[in-house]
Amino acid sequence: MRFSTQTLLLQLGVVLLVVLLSGTVHAWLVYERIGNEAENQALTLARTVAADPDVRAQVQDISKEQGTPPASVLAAGPLQQAAEAARVRTGALFVVITDETGLRLAHPEPARLGERVSTDPSAALGGQETTTRNTGTLGPSAGAKVPVYAPGTGSAGGTGGQGPIVGEVSVGYSVESLGKSLARDIIPIAVTAGGALLAGVLASFLLRRRLQRLTLGLEPEEISTLVHDQVAVLQGVDEGVIGIAADGRISVFNAAAARLLDMPDATGQAWNSAPVPAPLKELTRPAAQDAEAVEVLAGDRVLVASARKAWHRTEDLGWVVMLRDRTELQQLTRQLDAVGTMSAALRAQRHEFANQLHTIAGFMSIGQHEQAKEYLARISATGPLKFPVEQAELLQDTYLQAFIGAKGVEASERGVVLKIGPETLVRGHVADPQDVTTVLGNLIDNAVNAAVAGSAAERWVEVELLDDVTGNGGTLHLVVGDSGDGLGALDPDEVFTEGFTTAEAPVRAGAGQGLGLALVRQLARRRGGDVRILDTGTQGGPGAVFMASIPGVMAAGGTDNGAGATPEKESDG
C-alpha cells in the first residue's frame, strides 16, 4: 500500500474517532443537563405539593388515625385528587404522597395505594430534600423527595420553625421523556458531527493530493534514497552546483560552490539578492534558455559557468547553475601565450642571426677579412640578438628583456612600435614572473589593440617600468600608454568591469573576452597594489595611460645576462 494511501486511511480513522468521541461526550453532557433540569423541576413540584395546606392537613389527619385507610377510600380522597391534578398538569410520571411510615396515600395506580413505596423514603422523612434517579414500580425516572410538615409548624423548605414530619412527597419524570428531549437536542449534534466528518474526509483527500504533488509521487523510501544520493554526489564532485527553485530561492549550494565563490552556504537565500557575481544571475534571467557557458571572475578565480533549466515532466523546477574552475587553466594559458610569443620572437631572431652568419660567410669567402671583423664588432656591440624595442637597453632584468622583446616582435608584426620610456629604472630582478606576465602582458596587448584601432599615423606603445626593492616587498610600477584614440566618453571605471570589451572578435578561439583588465586589477589589489587610469587620452592620440603597482614581485640584485653585458660574457655563454 502506498504511503499516501496509508496516510489517508490514518487521517480518516483519526477524524472518525475524534468526531465519534466528541459527539458522544456532547450527547452525554446534554443528557446530564436534561436530567438535572428534570430533577430540579421535580424538586420544585414536590415542594409545591408538600407546601399545600390542604395536603399537609390531610396527611396529618390520616397519620393520626390508627392504621391506614383502605385503598378505595384513599382513591376517592382529596390527596389522590390533588396529586393526580398536579401530575397531569405538569406531565410528571408520578406524584406520590406517603405518611410518616412511607405508606402510599396518593399514587397514579390506585391499586398500589396503602402499600409501602418502592424507593427508600427515610431521607425525606428525616427532613432532607433529595433528588434521585432510580427505578420504581413505574419504571426509571428522575425525581425528588420532599418532607411534609404538620400544618402551622413549618413548610417544605420552610422559613418557620421545624415541626413534626407527617409524610413526604415524591415526584418523578420518566427517563423516556428525557430521552425524547435528548433526541430533539441530539439532531443538531448529529448534523454538526456529520459535517465535521465530511469536512475531515474532504481535507484528508486534499492533503493526500498535496502530499503527492509535493513529493512528486515518490514514496518515503525513494525520497530517502534520493537525499542520500544527492548528498553523496553534490559533496563528492569538484564542480560547484547551485540549484535555484522555481520560487527564486537557492535550494542547493554544495561545498564546491561555496569554495569557488569564496562565500558561506547560501541555501535558503533569495537568488536575486544573494552575494554572487552578476553574470551568474544573468544566466538565469527569465528570457534565458540554456545559454552558452561564460567565463566569470569570482575573486581571484576564473570560473566557467553554465545554467540549465530543470523540468519534471511539465513542472518547472527552476535552474541548475554549474561552476568549473579554470583558474589554473587560465594561468597555464597565459604562460603558454608568453612562451609562444617568445618562441615567435626567437624564430624571427634566428632568421636574423642566420642572415648575419651568411653575411660573415660571404665576407670570408671573398677574402674581405677586415670587413668581416668590423661587422662582427658592430654585432657584438649591439648583442647577438636584437628585439624591435626602442631603448631596450634600459632594461637590466633578463625576464623583462625577453618578455617585452617578444611583445615587441608581436607588436611589430601588427605595425606597432613598442618602446621603453626614458624614465625606466629597474635595478632588481623579477621574483614572480607569472603575475608580472599577467599584468604587463594584458596592458601591452590592450595598448597594441588600441594603437592598431587608433587614427594616428604613427602607431606606438610606450612602457615605463620602475621598481622599489627597498619597501613593500619589492614593488614593480608600470605605466603603459599608446597612440590610440583614448577612452572617449567611457567612464574610466567601466573598463575594469567584468565582461567589458571593445574587441569585435576574440584574438584566439576560445579566449575569454572582457576579463583582462578586471583580472589584472583584482590580481594587483590582492597583492596590495592597484591598476588605474592616469589619463583617458584624446581623439587622434595619444591614447589612454594605465598605471599598475604590483607589490611583492621584485627582488634585490641584478642579473648576469642583462642587456648591458659585455661581448666577452655573451660569447662565453
Side-chain angles (χ1 to χ4, degrees):
M1 185 181 296
R2 295 179 62 83
F3 175 73
S4 57
T5 304
Q6 295 177 358
T7 304
L8 175 62
L9 295 178
L10 177 61
Q11 290 170 343
L12 292 178
V14 170
V15 169
L16 180 60
L17 178 62
V18 170
V19 169
L20 290 178
L21 182 61
S22 300
T24 301
V25 172
H26 195 178
W28 179 78
L29 292 176
V30 171
Y31 179 79
E32 285 295 310
R33 178 180 59 80
I34 295 175
N36 292 333
E37 291 176 354
E39 290 176 357
N40 293 332
Q41 187 175 356
L43 180 61
T44 300
L45 180 58
R47 285 174 176 175
T48 302
V49 174
D52 188 343
D54 294 336
V55 172
R56 296 168 67 182
Q58 290 293 330
V59 173
Q60 184 182 33
D61 291 343
I62 295 175
S63 296
K64 289 180 180 180
E65 296 179 1
Q66 293 293 329
T68 302
S72 58
V73 174
L74 293 175
L79 289 179
Q80 178 71 6
Q81 295 176 2
E84 281 299 297
R87 182 184 69 80
V88 173
R89 184 175 65 251
T90 59
L93 176 63
F94 61 84
V95 175
V96 177
I97 302 174
T98 70
D99 61 9
E100 77 280 5
T101 62
L103 297 178
R104 298 186 182 103
L105 303 179
H107 192 277
E109 296 180 358
R112 297 185 180 274
L113 292 173
E115 298 177 357
R116 186 173 180 82
V117 293
S118 60
T119 57
D120 184 15
S122 58
L125 294 176
Q128 297 181 6
E129 295 179 348
T130 62
T131 57
T132 60
R133 294 186 193 180
N134 49 37
T135 302
T137 57
L138 298 178
S141 63
K145 294 180 182 295
V146 173
V148 178
Y149 293 93
T153 58
S155 61
T159 58
Q162 298 295 324
I165 297 174
V166 296
E168 60 94 12
V169 176
S170 297
V171 177
Y173 285 88
S174 173
V175 172
E176 294 180 0
S177 64
L178 300 183
K180 293 178 181 179
S181 299
L182 177 62
R184 290 194 302 269
D185 291 348
I186 205 67
I187 293 177
I189 300 176
V191 172
T192 303
L197 181 60
L198 181 61
V201 171
L202 180 60
S204 298
F205 275 102
L206 293 178
L207 185 60
R208 177 175 180 265
R209 290 189 59 186
R210 177 167 175 78
L211 181 63
Q212 288 180 326
R213 185 166 61 252
L214 290 177
T215 60
L216 303 179
L218 298 176
E219 294 298 304
E221 297 80 6
E222 296 174 320
I223 296 175
S224 176
T225 301
L226 286 176
V227 171
H228 285 89
D229 292 345
Q230 174 184 333
V231 172
V233 172
L234 292 180
Q235 303 304 327
V237 297
D238 291 333
E239 288 77 11
V241 180
I242 304 175
I244 300 98
D247 62 356
R249 307 194 73 81
I250 298 176
S251 57
V252 177
F253 199 89
N254 71 343
R259 174 177 55 83
L260 294 177
L261 296 176
D262 192 20
M263 59 180 289
D265 188 357
T267 303
Q269 295 186 25
W271 174 244
N272 290 333
S273 60
V276 300
L280 292 184
K281 298 178 182 179
E282 288 296 321
L283 290 175
T284 60
R285 65 187 186 277
Q289 292 290 337
D290 297 348
E292 293 289 336
V294 298
E295 289 187 344
V296 178
L297 200 60
D300 58 348
R301 295 181 181 273
V302 178
L303 309 178
V304 176
S306 60
R308 294 290 182 270
K309 194 70 175 174
W311 297 90
H312 179 74
R313 299 186 179 95
T314 59
E315 183 179 0
D316 182 5
L317 301 182
W319 289 86
V320 177
V321 177
M322 300 292 296
L323 302 175
R324 293 181 292 277
D325 192 358
R326 281 194 58 181
T327 305
E328 295 182 358
L329 181 59
Q330 285 284 344
Q331 293 173 352
L332 292 175
T333 301
R334 291 194 297 269
Q335 293 176 357
L336 183 60
D337 287 343
V339 171
T341 301
M342 292 183 182
S343 298
L346 290 177
R347 284 195 299 270
Q349 295 301 328
R350 182 185 65 81
H351 185 268
E352 179 184 351
F353 190 66
N355 290 337
Q356 293 173 351
L357 289 179
H358 291 158
T359 302
I360 295 173
F363 281 131
M364 297 297 292
S365 64
I366 62 176
Q368 299 294 329
H369 301 292
E370 292 299 327
Q371 291 184 0
K373 290 180 180 180
E374 293 176 1
Y375 185 65
L376 282 173
R378 288 197 299 272
I379 293 176
S380 298
T382 59
L385 298 178
K386 181 179 179 182
F387 290 115
V389 178
E390 295 184 6
Q391 302 188 91
E393 65 275 4
L394 295 176
L395 295 175
Q396 301 299 315
D397 179 75
T398 306
Y399 177 80
L400 291 176
Q401 288 177 357
F403 184 71
I404 295 180
K407 286 294 183 182
V409 174
E410 193 176 70
S412 179
E413 293 177 351
R414 302 182 65 186
V416 179
V417 175
L418 180 61
K419 51 187 176 181
I420 304 299
E423 302 299 326
T424 295
L425 178 60
V426 179
R427 296 162 294 177
H429 67 275
V430 175
D432 191 342
Q434 181 171 316
D435 285 354
V436 173
T437 298
T438 301
V439 177
L440 183 57
N442 272 288
L443 293 180
I444 292 178
D445 289 343
N446 288 342
V448 170
N449 292 335
V452 172
S455 59
E458 295 184 3
R459 298 175 177 176
W460 52 265
V461 172
E462 183 174 285
V463 180
E464 284 190 349
L465 303 97
L466 180 65
D467 69 341
D468 179 9
V469 296
T470 60
N472 202 18
T475 302
L476 179 63
H477 302 280
L478 311 172
V479 178
V480 180
D482 58 70
S483 62
D485 292 332
L487 300 180
L490 292 176
D491 184 354
D493 287 334
E494 184 179 357
V495 300
F496 293 103
T497 304
E498 180 182 347
F500 176 84
T501 179
T502 58
E504 296 181 357
V507 176
R508 182 183 68 257
Q513 292 295 103
L515 294 178
L517 289 177
L519 181 62
V520 299
R521 171 174 270 190
Q522 288 197 15
L523 187 150
R525 288 181 174 178
R526 190 177 72 245
R527 284 182 166 272
D530 199 2
V531 178
R532 61 183 183 273
I533 298 175
L534 296 181
D535 190 349
T536 58
T538 58
Q539 182 68 27
V545 179
F546 287 80
M547 177 181 177
S549 299
I550 320 173
V553 296
M554 300 298 295
T559 58
D560 295 335
N561 53 353
T566 63
E568 290 78 13
K569 289 183 179 180
E570 298 217 1
S571 62
D572 292 342

